[in-house]
Amino acid sequence: MANELPFERPLAELKAKIDELRKFGEEKQIDFSDEISKLEDRYVKLEEELYGGLTAGQKMQIARHPSRPTTLDFIHSLCTDFIEFHGDRVFGDDLAIVGGIAKFNGIPVTVVGHQKGKDTKDNIARNFGSPHPDGFRKALRLMQQADKFGRPILTFLDTKGAFPGTTAEERGVGESIARNLLEMARFRVPIVVVVIGEGGSGGALALGVGNRVLMLEHAIYSVLSPEGAASILFKDASRAGEMAEAMKITAHDLLRYEAIDEIVPEPRGGAHRNPEEQAETLRGIVWKHLQELLPMSGDELVADRYEKFRKIGKFTYIRDVAEQV
């Protein structure tokens, strides 16, 4: 297994033993088929046990896997005739966010999303997927254009959060995120949001106000990175796995709380194991939701989006405590 995660090492070691035994048998002309079959059965059982009981911390590792499909990977797999647009018409072109126009199942759409790099050089150029204000303004410019011309909007979320440095503060990162939230709430076209990796803080939410919010099975979506929360509460970022469990950031947690609308199943081991299969699974689910939204009027879409976000969250009122207060 290439690029295996720490918790996947037992699987990788067993796979290496199987490959080694098979190669040795071929070289020495010895039949090890029974032994190999037993090892393969053990591998299948171990795989089912491992991926069937993933913790939130382990899902966080899968969501951050360096080989996980990015926004551009999904755009090229799902869409045709993609034309990428650049710049926010104010400051510059933030490569941490990509977007443009394309055709999805023959329908013109606007696609926007966070973009992480494929290697160190690319990650540095794209600021590891953490946008500056000009990235959010580029996304808003493209979405406003989509609203003007009646194109549905597809957004892909995959960022640890907006860039927290002084350059972002100087250029108004808080205002740029708030502006996106306000404008996305008012757009009169269908918006489908997909959390493909990690959706972190306001940097993710700035592209996340949609009529439908979908989430890949092993993606995470949180108000703050688990490392950040562990640093604040415990003064120890190494307790991120513990915080991931407490913060309820997995797709199954968020579906239970109605913060998302549907979980997109992933291939065994994660989307990076079979990107083509993952793209086709996502295509069917996105298309299903778009078909539900396309017949709706602009007023209905705005009202639908408003009701969706208003109903998120649950409150418990305890009369005795309230009276004591």
Side-chain angles (χ1 to χ4, degrees), residues 92-123:
D93 185 29
D94 185 353
L95 299 181
I97 285 184
V98 297
I101 58 176
K103 286 185 178 178
F104 176 73
N105 283 3
I107 294 178
V109 295
T110 288
V111 288
V112 184
H114 306 94
Q115 179 65 27
K116 294 180 178 179
K118 291 289 189 177
D119 52 37
T120 302
K121 182 179 179 181
D122 195 21
N123 263 316

PDB file of all heavy atoms in Angstrom, residues 92-123:
ATOM      1  N   GLY A  92      -5.587  40.268  -6.621  1.00  0.00           N
ATOM      2  CA  GLY A  92      -4.778  39.296  -7.353  1.00  0.00           C
ATOM      3  C   GLY A  92      -5.505  37.980  -7.523  1.00  0.00           C
ATOM      4  O   GLY A  92      -6.704  37.866  -7.285  1.00  0.00           O
ATOM      5  N   ASP A  93      -4.758  36.968  -7.928  1.00  0.00           N
ATOM      6  CA  ASP A  93      -5.311  35.640  -8.168  1.00  0.00           C
ATOM      7  C   ASP A  93      -4.826  34.684  -7.081  1.00  0.00           C
ATOM      8  O   ASP A  93      -3.647  34.316  -7.049  1.00  0.00           O
ATOM      9  CB  ASP A  93      -4.908  35.130  -9.551  1.00  0.00           C
ATOM     10  CG  ASP A  93      -5.574  33.804  -9.896  1.00  0.00           C
ATOM     11  OD1 ASP A  93      -6.687  33.560  -9.403  1.00  0.00           O
ATOM     12  OD2 ASP A  93      -4.981  33.021 -10.655  1.00  0.00           O
ATOM     13  N   ASP A  94      -5.719  34.304  -6.184  1.00  0.00           N
ATOM     14  CA  ASP A  94      -5.389  33.389  -5.097  1.00  0.00           C
ATOM     15  C   ASP A  94      -5.563  31.960  -5.598  1.00  0.00           C
ATOM     16  O   ASP A  94      -6.689  31.512  -5.846  1.00  0.00           O
ATOM     17  CB  ASP A  94      -6.301  33.662  -3.898  1.00  0.00           C
ATOM     18  CG  ASP A  94      -5.928  32.836  -2.682  1.00  0.00           C
ATOM     19  OD1 ASP A  94      -5.049  31.960  -2.806  1.00  0.00           O
ATOM     20  OD2 ASP A  94      -6.523  33.061  -1.619  1.00  0.00           O
ATOM     21  N   LEU A  95      -4.453  31.212  -5.707  1.00  0.00           N
ATOM     22  CA  LEU A  95      -4.514  29.860  -6.243  1.00  0.00           C
ATOM     23  C   LEU A  95      -5.076  28.851  -5.248  1.00  0.00           C
ATOM     24  O   LEU A  95      -5.269  27.688  -5.597  1.00  0.00           O
ATOM     25  CB  LEU A  95      -3.118  29.420  -6.699  1.00  0.00           C
ATOM     26  CG  LEU A  95      -2.474  30.259  -7.812  1.00  0.00           C
ATOM     27  CD1 LEU A  95      -1.106  29.704  -8.180  1.00  0.00           C
ATOM     28  CD2 LEU A  95      -3.372  30.313  -9.037  1.00  0.00           C
ATOM     29  N   ALA A  96      -5.343  29.281  -4.006  1.00  0.00           N
ATOM     30  CA  ALA A  96      -5.964  28.382  -3.024  1.00  0.00           C
ATOM     31  C   ALA A  96      -7.434  28.139  -3.339  1.00  0.00           C
ATOM     32  O   ALA A  96      -8.042  27.230  -2.775  1.00  0.00           O
ATOM     33  CB  ALA A  96      -5.815  28.944  -1.612  1.00  0.00           C
ATOM     34  N   ILE A  97      -8.000  28.962  -4.218  1.00  0.00           N
ATOM     35  CA  ILE A  97      -9.367  28.750  -4.687  1.00  0.00           C
ATOM     36  C   ILE A  97      -9.353  28.748  -6.212  1.00  0.00           C
ATOM     37  O   ILE A  97      -8.735  29.613  -6.835  1.00  0.00           O
ATOM     38  CB  ILE A  97     -10.333  29.824  -4.149  1.00  0.00           C
ATOM     39  CG1 ILE A  97     -10.638  29.553  -2.672  1.00  0.00           C
ATOM     40  CG2 ILE A  97     -11.626  29.869  -4.954  1.00  0.00           C
ATOM     41  CD1 ILE A  97     -11.646  30.479  -2.048  1.00  0.00           C
ATOM     42  N   VAL A  98     -10.007  27.744  -6.775  1.00  0.00           N
ATOM     43  CA  VAL A  98     -10.120  27.647  -8.230  1.00  0.00           C
ATOM     44  C   VAL A  98     -11.593  27.658  -8.608  1.00  0.00           C
ATOM     45  O   VAL A  98     -12.467  27.323  -7.805  1.00  0.00           O
ATOM     46  CB  VAL A  98      -9.449  26.356  -8.774  1.00  0.00           C
ATOM     47  CG1 VAL A  98      -7.964  26.367  -8.492  1.00  0.00           C
ATOM     48  CG2 VAL A  98     -10.108  25.113  -8.166  1.00  0.00           C
ATOM     49  N   GLY A  99     -11.864  28.057  -9.853  1.00  0.00           N
ATOM     50  CA  GLY A  99     -13.248  28.069 -10.295  1.00  0.00           C
ATOM     51  C   GLY A  99     -13.377  28.467 -11.747  1.00  0.00           C
ATOM     52  O   GLY A  99     -12.417  28.924 -12.377  1.00  0.00           O
ATOM     53  N   GLY A 100     -14.571  28.273 -12.268  1.00  0.00           N
ATOM     54  CA  GLY A 100     -14.831  28.631 -13.643  1.00  0.00           C
ATOM     55  C   GLY A 100     -16.186  28.107 -14.071  1.00  0.00           C
ATOM     56  O   GLY A 100     -17.048  27.816 -13.239  1.00  0.00           O
ATOM     57  N   ILE A 101     -16.367  27.992 -15.373  1.00  0.00           N
ATOM     58  CA  ILE A 101     -17.616  27.467 -15.916  1.00  0.00           C
ATOM     59  C   ILE A 101     -17.331  26.135 -16.598  1.00  0.00           C
ATOM     60  O   ILE A 101     -16.234  25.882 -17.074  1.00  0.00           O
ATOM     61  CB  ILE A 101     -18.287  28.451 -16.892  1.00  0.00           C
ATOM     62  CG1 ILE A 101     -17.338  28.797 -18.048  1.00  0.00           C
ATOM     63  CG2 ILE A 101     -18.714  29.722 -16.166  1.00  0.00           C
ATOM     64  CD1 ILE A 101     -17.962  29.679 -19.115  1.00  0.00           C
ATOM     65  N   ALA A 102     -18.347  25.279 -16.609  1.00  0.00           N
ATOM     66  CA  ALA A 102     -18.193  23.946 -17.193  1.00  0.00           C
ATOM     67  C   ALA A 102     -19.578  23.397 -17.496  1.00  0.00           C
ATOM     68  O   ALA A 102     -20.600  24.069 -17.271  1.00  0.00           O
ATOM     69  CB  ALA A 102     -17.446  23.021 -16.231  1.00  0.00           C
ATOM     70  N   LYS A 103     -19.615  22.180 -18.013  1.00  0.00           N
ATOM     71  CA  LYS A 103     -20.879  21.484 -18.219  1.00  0.00           C
ATOM     72  C   LYS A 103     -20.890  20.221 -17.356  1.00  0.00           C
ATOM     73  O   LYS A 103     -19.945  19.429 -17.388  1.00  0.00           O
ATOM     74  CB  LYS A 103     -21.070  21.120 -19.684  1.00  0.00           C
ATOM     75  CG  LYS A 103     -21.420  22.304 -20.562  1.00  0.00           C
ATOM     76  CD  LYS A 103     -21.734  21.875 -21.994  1.00  0.00           C
ATOM     77  CE  LYS A 103     -22.133  23.076 -22.843  1.00  0.00           C
ATOM     78  NZ  LYS A 103     -22.404  22.682 -24.253  1.00  0.00           N
ATOM     79  N   PHE A 104     -21.965  20.081 -16.594  1.00  0.00           N
ATOM     80  CA  PHE A 104     -22.156  18.896 -15.768  1.00  0.00           C
ATOM     81  C   PHE A 104     -23.361  18.139 -16.303  1.00  0.00           C
ATOM     82  O   PHE A 104     -24.474  18.665 -16.302  1.00  0.00           O
ATOM     83  CB  PHE A 104     -22.391  19.295 -14.305  1.00  0.00           C
ATOM     84  CG  PHE A 104     -22.695  18.141 -13.393  1.00  0.00           C
ATOM     85  CD1 PHE A 104     -21.696  17.250 -13.015  1.00  0.00           C
ATOM     86  CD2 PHE A 104     -23.986  17.935 -12.920  1.00  0.00           C
ATOM     87  CE1 PHE A 104     -21.982  16.177 -12.179  1.00  0.00           C
ATOM     88  CE2 PHE A 104     -24.279  16.871 -12.087  1.00  0.00           C
ATOM     89  CZ  PHE A 104     -23.267  15.986 -11.719  1.00  0.00           C
ATOM     90  N   ASN A 105     -23.125  16.947 -16.821  1.00  0.00           N
ATOM     91  CA  ASN A 105     -24.186  16.175 -17.480  1.00  0.00           C
ATOM     92  C   ASN A 105     -24.900  17.004 -18.541  1.00  0.00           C
ATOM     93  O   ASN A 105     -26.127  16.947 -18.695  1.00  0.00           O
ATOM     94  CB  ASN A 105     -25.194  15.637 -16.455  1.00  0.00           C
ATOM     95  CG  ASN A 105     -24.658  14.434 -15.697  1.00  0.00           C
ATOM     96  OD1 ASN A 105     -23.518  14.028 -15.880  1.00  0.00           O
ATOM     97  ND2 ASN A 105     -25.471  13.860 -14.831  1.00  0.00           N
ATOM     98  N   GLY A 106     -24.120  17.822 -19.253  1.00  0.00           N
ATOM     99  CA  GLY A 106     -24.664  18.623 -20.345  1.00  0.00           C
ATOM    100  C   GLY A 106     -25.254  19.951 -19.941  1.00  0.00           C
ATOM    101  O   GLY A 106     -25.648  20.745 -20.802  1.00  0.00           O
ATOM    102  N   ILE A 107     -25.320  20.230 -18.633  1.00  0.00           N
ATOM    103  CA  ILE A 107     -25.912  21.481 -18.139  1.00  0.00           C
ATOM    104  C   ILE A 107     -24.801  22.471 -17.776  1.00  0.00           C
ATOM    105  O   ILE A 107     -23.872  22.112 -17.047  1.00  0.00           O
ATOM    106  CB  ILE A 107     -26.796  21.218 -16.902  1.00  0.00           C
ATOM    107  CG1 ILE A 107     -28.014  20.376 -17.275  1.00  0.00           C
ATOM    108  CG2 ILE A 107     -27.242  22.521 -16.260  1.00  0.00           C
ATOM    109  CD1 ILE A 107     -28.893  20.036 -16.094  1.00  0.00           C
ATOM    110  N   PRO A 108     -24.868  23.712 -18.253  1.00  0.00           N
ATOM    111  CA  PRO A 108     -23.854  24.706 -17.864  1.00  0.00           C
ATOM    112  C   PRO A 108     -23.927  24.974 -16.357  1.00  0.00           C
ATOM    113  O   PRO A 108     -25.014  25.205 -15.803  1.00  0.00           O
ATOM    114  CB  PRO A 108     -24.244  25.954 -18.663  1.00  0.00           C
ATOM    115  CG  PRO A 108     -25.077  25.439 -19.799  1.00  0.00           C
ATOM    116  CD  PRO A 108     -25.817  24.257 -19.254  1.00  0.00           C
ATOM    117  N   VAL A 109     -22.784  24.945 -15.695  1.00  0.00           N
ATOM    118  CA  VAL A 109     -22.707  25.202 -14.257  1.00  0.00           C
ATOM    119  C   VAL A 109     -21.476  26.055 -13.973  1.00  0.00           C
ATOM    120  O   VAL A 109     -20.557  26.152 -14.789  1.00  0.00           O
ATOM    121  CB  VAL A 109     -22.604  23.893 -13.437  1.00  0.00           C
ATOM    122  CG1 VAL A 109     -23.864  23.050 -13.564  1.00  0.00           C
ATOM    123  CG2 VAL A 109     -21.363  23.080 -13.831  1.00  0.00           C
ATOM    124  N   THR A 110     -21.476  26.668 -12.799  1.00  0.00           N
ATOM    125  CA  THR A 110     -20.269  27.315 -12.286  1.00  0.00           C
ATOM    126  C   THR A 110     -19.721  26.429 -11.175  1.00  0.00           C
ATOM    127  O   THR A 110     -20.468  25.999 -10.294  1.00  0.00           O
ATOM    128  CB  THR A 110     -20.584  28.720 -11.751  1.00  0.00           C
ATOM    129  OG1 THR A 110     -20.852  29.599 -12.856  1.00  0.00           O
ATOM    130  CG2 THR A 110     -19.410  29.280 -10.957  1.00  0.00           C
ATOM    131  N   VAL A 111     -18.423  26.150 -11.240  1.00  0.00           N
ATOM    132  CA  VAL A 111     -17.780  25.300 -10.233  1.00  0.00           C
ATOM    133  C   VAL A 111     -16.716  26.108  -9.509  1.00  0.00           C
ATOM    134  O   VAL A 111     -15.948  26.848 -10.129  1.00  0.00           O
ATOM    135  CB  VAL A 111     -17.163  24.042 -10.880  1.00  0.00           C
ATOM    136  CG1 VAL A 111     -18.237  23.076 -11.314  1.00  0.00           C
ATOM    137  CG2 VAL A 111     -16.291  24.402 -12.085  1.00  0.00           C
ATOM    138  N   VAL A 112     -16.696  25.983  -8.192  1.00  0.00           N
ATOM    139  CA  VAL A 112     -15.739  26.720  -7.358  1.00  0.00           C
ATOM    140  C   VAL A 112     -15.308  25.814  -6.218  1.00  0.00           C
ATOM    141  O   VAL A 112     -16.119  25.039  -5.694  1.00  0.00           O
ATOM    142  CB  VAL A 112     -16.373  28.006  -6.764  1.00  0.00           C
ATOM    143  CG1 VAL A 112     -15.326  28.796  -5.986  1.00  0.00           C
ATOM    144  CG2 VAL A 112     -16.990  28.879  -7.838  1.00  0.00           C
ATOM    145  N   GLY A 113     -14.051  25.901  -5.814  1.00  0.00           N
ATOM    146  CA  GLY A 113     -13.625  25.099  -4.674  1.00  0.00           C
ATOM    147  C   GLY A 113     -12.230  25.439  -4.188  1.00  0.00           C
ATOM    148  O   GLY A 113     -11.448  26.109  -4.869  1.00  0.00           O
ATOM    149  N   HIS A 114     -11.919  24.963  -2.982  1.00  0.00           N
ATOM    150  CA  HIS A 114     -10.567  25.097  -2.442  1.00  0.00           C
ATOM    151  C   HIS A 114      -9.648  24.121  -3.171  1.00  0.00           C
ATOM    152  O   HIS A 114     -10.065  23.019  -3.530  1.00  0.00           O
ATOM    153  CB  HIS A 114     -10.555  24.775  -0.951  1.00  0.00           C
ATOM    154  CG  HIS A 114     -11.534  25.571  -0.147  1.00  0.00           C
ATOM    155  ND1 HIS A 114     -12.806  25.116   0.144  1.00  0.00           N
ATOM    156  CD2 HIS A 114     -11.429  26.791   0.420  1.00  0.00           C
ATOM    157  CE1 HIS A 114     -13.448  26.016   0.859  1.00  0.00           C
ATOM    158  NE2 HIS A 114     -12.635  27.047   1.049  1.00  0.00           N
ATOM    159  N   GLN A 115      -8.417  24.507  -3.348  1.00  0.00           N
ATOM    160  CA  GLN A 115      -7.468  23.647  -4.064  1.00  0.00           C
ATOM    161  C   GLN A 115      -6.159  23.521  -3.287  1.00  0.00           C
ATOM    162  O   GLN A 115      -5.445  24.494  -3.092  1.00  0.00           O
ATOM    163  CB  GLN A 115      -7.185  24.198  -5.466  1.00  0.00           C
ATOM    164  CG  GLN A 115      -6.201  23.372  -6.268  1.00  0.00           C
ATOM    165  CD  GLN A 115      -6.718  21.981  -6.605  1.00  0.00           C
ATOM    166  OE1 GLN A 115      -7.932  21.770  -6.705  1.00  0.00           O
ATOM    167  NE2 GLN A 115      -5.817  21.037  -6.786  1.00  0.00           N
ATOM    168  N   LYS A 116      -5.869  22.298  -2.847  1.00  0.00           N
ATOM    169  CA  LYS A 116      -4.578  22.001  -2.232  1.00  0.00           C
ATOM    170  C   LYS A 116      -3.610  21.553  -3.318  1.00  0.00           C
ATOM    171  O   LYS A 116      -4.013  21.149  -4.404  1.00  0.00           O
ATOM    172  CB  LYS A 116      -4.727  20.907  -1.176  1.00  0.00           C
ATOM    173  CG  LYS A 116      -5.563  21.324   0.031  1.00  0.00           C
ATOM    174  CD  LYS A 116      -5.676  20.192   1.033  1.00  0.00           C
ATOM    175  CE  LYS A 116      -6.472  20.608   2.261  1.00  0.00           C
ATOM    176  NZ  LYS A 116      -6.615  19.498   3.228  1.00  0.00           N
ATOM    177  N   GLY A 117      -2.328  21.583  -2.995  1.00  0.00           N
ATOM    178  CA  GLY A 117      -1.322  21.201  -3.968  1.00  0.00           C
ATOM    179  C   GLY A 117      -1.083  19.708  -4.009  1.00  0.00           C
ATOM    180  O   GLY A 117      -1.441  18.970  -3.088  1.00  0.00           O
ATOM    181  N   LYS A 118      -0.429  19.260  -5.085  1.00  0.00           N
ATOM    182  CA  LYS A 118      -0.115  17.851  -5.262  1.00  0.00           C
ATOM    183  C   LYS A 118       1.277  17.509  -4.729  1.00  0.00           C
ATOM    184  O   LYS A 118       1.587  16.350  -4.513  1.00  0.00           O
ATOM    185  CB  LYS A 118      -0.188  17.486  -6.748  1.00  0.00           C
ATOM    186  CG  LYS A 118      -1.599  17.502  -7.329  1.00  0.00           C
ATOM    187  CD  LYS A 118      -2.407  16.339  -6.803  1.00  0.00           C
ATOM    188  CE  LYS A 118      -3.736  16.201  -7.538  1.00  0.00           C
ATOM    189  NZ  LYS A 118      -4.497  15.033  -7.070  1.00  0.00           N
ATOM    190  N   ASP A 119       2.130  18.512  -4.562  1.00  0.00           N
ATOM    191  CA  ASP A 119       3.463  18.298  -4.026  1.00  0.00           C
ATOM    192  C   ASP A 119       3.863  19.555  -3.251  1.00  0.00           C
ATOM    193  O   ASP A 119       3.069  20.496  -3.123  1.00  0.00           O
ATOM    194  CB  ASP A 119       4.466  17.994  -5.148  1.00  0.00           C
ATOM    195  CG  ASP A 119       4.437  19.025  -6.268  1.00  0.00           C
ATOM    196  OD1 ASP A 119       4.251  20.231  -5.972  1.00  0.00           O
ATOM    197  OD2 ASP A 119       4.591  18.643  -7.442  1.00  0.00           O
ATOM    198  N   THR A 120       5.072  19.564  -2.726  1.00  0.00           N
ATOM    199  CA  THR A 120       5.492  20.689  -1.884  1.00  0.00           C
ATOM    200  C   THR A 120       5.455  22.019  -2.633  1.00  0.00           C
ATOM    201  O   THR A 120       4.932  23.021  -2.125  1.00  0.00           O
ATOM    202  CB  THR A 120       6.908  20.441  -1.339  1.00  0.00           C
ATOM    203  OG1 THR A 120       6.921  19.221  -0.599  1.00  0.00           O
ATOM    204  CG2 THR A 120       7.346  21.581  -0.436  1.00  0.00           C
ATOM    205  N   LYS A 121       5.982  22.032  -3.849  1.00  0.00           N
ATOM    206  CA  LYS A 121       6.014  23.272  -4.638  1.00  0.00           C
ATOM    207  C   LYS A 121       4.596  23.766  -4.925  1.00  0.00           C
ATOM    208  O   LYS A 121       4.306  24.967  -4.796  1.00  0.00           O
ATOM    209  CB  LYS A 121       6.765  23.025  -5.945  1.00  0.00           C
ATOM    210  CG  LYS A 121       6.901  24.271  -6.812  1.00  0.00           C
ATOM    211  CD  LYS A 121       7.685  23.975  -8.085  1.00  0.00           C
ATOM    212  CE  LYS A 121       7.812  25.210  -8.962  1.00  0.00           C
ATOM    213  NZ  LYS A 121       8.568  24.922 -10.217  1.00  0.00           N
ATOM    214  N   ASP A 122       3.723  22.851  -5.307  1.00  0.00           N
ATOM    215  CA  ASP A 122       2.338  23.214  -5.615  1.00  0.00           C
ATOM    216  C   ASP A 122       1.613  23.676  -4.354  1.00  0.00           C
ATOM    217  O   ASP A 122       0.824  24.627  -4.388  1.00  0.00           O
ATOM    218  CB  ASP A 122       1.630  22.013  -6.243  1.00  0.00           C
ATOM    219  CG  ASP A 122       0.319  22.385  -6.932  1.00  0.00           C
ATOM    220  OD1 ASP A 122       0.141  23.572  -7.279  1.00  0.00           O
ATOM    221  OD2 ASP A 122      -0.527  21.490  -7.120  1.00  0.00           O
ATOM    222  N   ASN A 123       1.864  23.015  -3.229  1.00  0.00           N
ATOM    223  CA  ASN A 123       1.232  23.408  -1.974  1.00  0.00           C
ATOM    224  C   ASN A 123       1.649  24.810  -1.552  1.00  0.00           C
ATOM    225  O   ASN A 123       0.825  25.588  -1.051  1.00  0.00           O
ATOM    226  CB  ASN A 123       1.576  22.403  -0.866  1.00  0.00           C
ATOM    227  CG  ASN A 123       0.480  21.367  -0.663  1.00  0.00           C
ATOM    228  OD1 ASN A 123      -0.698  21.706  -0.635  1.00  0.00           O
ATOM    229  ND2 ASN A 123       0.868  20.117  -0.536  1.00  0.00           N
TER     230      ASN A 123
END
